[in-house]
Amino acid sequence: MNQVGRLFSWGLVAWLIFAPVLVACMWDHDTLAMERSRFPSALELITGKFLRHSPEFYQWRIGDRLKRLESNPNGLTLLDDLAVAYDKTGQHDLAIATSLRAAKLQPDRYETEANLGTFLIHSGKLEEGLVHIDKALRINPDAHFGREKYQKALVEYVLDRRKANGPALPLSAQGEKLDFEKFLAKGKKSGHLSIEENRDAIRGILGMMRFGKHNSPVLLEALGCLLSPPNNHDELMGDAKQLAARAYLLAGYESPDEAARMSYRDLAQKALHMQTDGNTLDQVQMTLPELEAVFKKELAQGTAWYSDLRAKEAGWIRDGKDPEAEFQKLYDQDPQVDTYVHPKHRFSPYLVFEYLAFTLLVVFPLCLITWIVYRLIRRKKKLVQPD
């Protein structure tokens, strides 16, 4: 019995020491894939590898729509296209004026109010923009999957933070440290969003990134907060810490000053940690420098892809082709980011050793212990049986 006890003790110690580390290492290989399956377009929008038009395209569209409006001055769709093109090229006043022209032709039109609110917000007139976003929501609250609902909430959050702490970034690192998730959950008993509410909010922010400025620090901060909610509803269903860290890192890269960049880096670091009990698993996940090395390659990939698209659009325009038609022929679906693996986490002979060690230190001892217990029970039964 002493030998059996010692064998059991050593096996248990080995299992407690090595099993969590090995399991965690294997779990980490699939983390980003799991996060991307829950939020399929998030990495593409963060890195800029998604279908969008170039400044050259929008300049072409301005000329094209102005020419078409000469023969059809009341064309609402043409006016929408022209207004968006002005906004995309930074001509916000012309975008606003074009939408006001459309509003005179047909008052209380959802598309006009939504566009006008967005253009006013982009021009810095947040309070005026909210008036038209509210009107768009009253006309059609479910349009764009309720994107305007979260656009309104985000603008209100920005106004609240600026009133309390000024324009400094990150918004959530100022004053009361009220982040966007807590702002959305105000009035709820739990103080946090449910998983479904969180998903809807993420979809709304991703929609704003797709149709607005995808690398806006404010949008990226809101996305990072929602992807790594502080209550961590469910590790498998509500948390996306690697995507959140990427969003915070890019927010830092796009920020105007060093203090903001360092604050966003701190948020990225916090997002990487498991938000449960800080157990051993935390110590074996991808570190921020490792993730950043991978993320910079993903960003470079997105930049190269968009540069190629931009060159194509410029070429079509130069050659007198219709860039809208050429774009539709060439791009029928969004591209995907090819994810990289940090060298430390790649498959290697050392990983084979880890799997073998896992088998020897966990699986084999458990089988051996089971067999020994079984043999002891059999022996005991034989001893108590009458002759």
Side-chain angles (χ1 to χ4, degrees):
M1 281 297 294
N2 286 338
Q3 288 182 344
V4 173
R6 283 195 295 272
L7 181 62
F8 179 82
S9 298
W10 280 110
L12 182 60
V13 168
W15 185 80
L16 289 173
I17 292 173
F18 291 102
V21 175
L22 295 171
V23 171
C25 286
M26 290 185 283
W27 178 86
D28 188 55
H29 292 300
D30 296 325
T31 300
L32 183 60
M34 292 169 64
E35 292 181 9
R36 292 185 74 186
S37 70
R38 294 195 294 272
F39 309 106
S41 65
L43 185 59
E44 283 68 29
L45 288 163
I46 292 169
T47 58
K49 191 177 180 180
F50 63 96
L51 293 181
R52 54 197 168 109
H53 291 300
S54 63
E56 291 81 3
F57 173 90
Y58 285 113
Q59 287 290 356
W60 170 88
R61 179 172 271 185
I62 289 170
D64 180 80
R65 295 310 190 256
L66 284 172
K67 186 175 181 180
R68 294 193 195 188
L69 281 164
E70 290 175 3
S71 57
N72 183 16
N74 296 334
L76 290 171
T77 302
L78 294 175
L79 288 170
D80 289 342
D81 288 349
L82 178 61
V84 170
Y86 279 139
D87 185 71
K88 290 288 188 180
T89 53
Q91 302 176 81
H92 304 304
D93 289 342
L94 286 173
I96 292 166
T98 304
S99 287
L100 288 172
R101 177 179 164 185
K104 288 181 181 177
L105 292 171
Q106 185 178 323
D108 300 325
R109 177 174 174 258
Y110 164 76
E111 292 84 355
T112 303
E113 294 299 329
N115 282 341
L116 185 52
T118 299
F119 302 152
L120 285 163
I121 290 166
H122 288 172
S123 70
K125 301 172 182 176
L126 304 187
E127 292 90 345
E128 290 182 55
L130 281 179
V131 173
H132 293 279
I133 295 298
D134 276 332
K135 195 169 182 181
L137 283 167
R138 288 195 297 271
I139 296 168
N140 191 350
D142 297 320
H144 295 135
F145 308 102
R147 187 178 71 208
E148 278 78 20
K149 170 185 174 182
Y150 296 102
Q151 184 180 24
K152 175 187 175 182
L154 185 59
V155 171
E156 290 173 340
Y157 174 62
V158 171
L159 288 170
D160 179 87
R161 295 294 82 208
R162 286 183 178 176
K163 184 178 179 181
N165 307 295
L169 294 172
L171 297 169
S172 61
Q174 309 300 317
E176 304 167 26
K177 300 194 175 185
L178 177 67
D179 64 34
F180 186 52
E181 196 259 357
K182 291 188 181 74
F183 183 82
L184 288 175
K186 277 197 309 186
K188 292 176 65 71
K189 271 189 175 182
S190 65
H192 295 289
L193 300 176
S194 67
I195 292 176
E196 285 306 313
E197 289 169 334
N198 184 269
R199 291 280 182 92
D200 288 344
I202 289 171
R203 184 164 59 172
I205 296 296
L206 291 175
M208 281 182 262
M209 290 174 65
R210 179 178 291 277
F211 296 106
K213 190 177 179 183
H214 76 280
N215 57 350
S216 159
V218 172
L219 287 174
L220 289 164
E221 179 184 337
L223 180 64
C225 173
L226 293 168
L227 287 171
S228 56
N231 55 324
N232 194 29
H233 309 292
D234 186 317
E235 289 175 22
L236 296 179
M237 297 302 293
D239 185 59
K241 60 188 176 61
Q242 289 198 22
L243 288 173
R246 284 165 165 83
Y248 284 132
L249 283 174
L250 185 58
Y253 300 160
E254 299 292 334
S255 293
D257 60 79
E258 184 62 24
R261 287 192 284 272
M262 293 307 298
S263 294
Y264 279 126
R265 192 171 187 84
D266 288 342
L267 288 171
Q269 181 66 69
K270 290 175 184 175
L272 273 185
H273 286 289
M274 299 280 285
Q275 297 175 14
T276 50
D277 58 0
N279 59 27
T280 312
L281 293 178
D282 289 352
Q283 308 305 317
V284 295
Q285 300 306 312
M286 183 176 284
T287 65
L288 185 61
E290 290 170 354
L291 181 139
E292 188 170 25
V294 170
F295 180 48
K296 285 185 175 179
K297 290 184 177 181
E298 294 164 351
L299 279 177
Q301 181 189 146
T303 299
W305 184 88
Y306 177 66
S307 295
D308 180 68
L309 182 152
R310 185 173 180 177
K312 285 185 172 69
E313 290 194 325
W316 295 329
I317 294 165
R318 185 183 59 246
D319 296 339
K321 296 179 180 179
D322 181 346
E324 291 175 323
E326 296 299 324
F327 186 93
Q328 291 296 327
K329 283 192 290 186
L330 190 60
Y331 300 106
D332 60 349
Q333 60 183 2
D334 267 326
Q336 284 196 328
V337 172
D338 299 320
T339 52
Y340 298 92
V341 179
H342 190 274
K344 180 178 175 181
H345 296 263
R346 287 177 187 160
F347 186 84
S348 66
Y350 179 74
L351 187 62
V352 175
F353 172 76
E354 281 190 343
Y355 288 128
L356 289 173
F358 179 79
T359 302
L360 292 172
L361 295 173
V362 180
V363 179
F364 178 73
L366 287 175
C367 293
L368 182 60
I369 290 167
T370 302
W371 180 80
I372 291 172
V373 170
Y374 169 74
R375 296 294 298 174
L376 289 172
I377 293 172
R378 293 255 339 236
R379 178 180 292 182
K380 187 176 182 180
K381 283 183 177 178
K382 285 183 179 180
L383 291 173
V384 298
Q385 283 178 356
D387 294 332

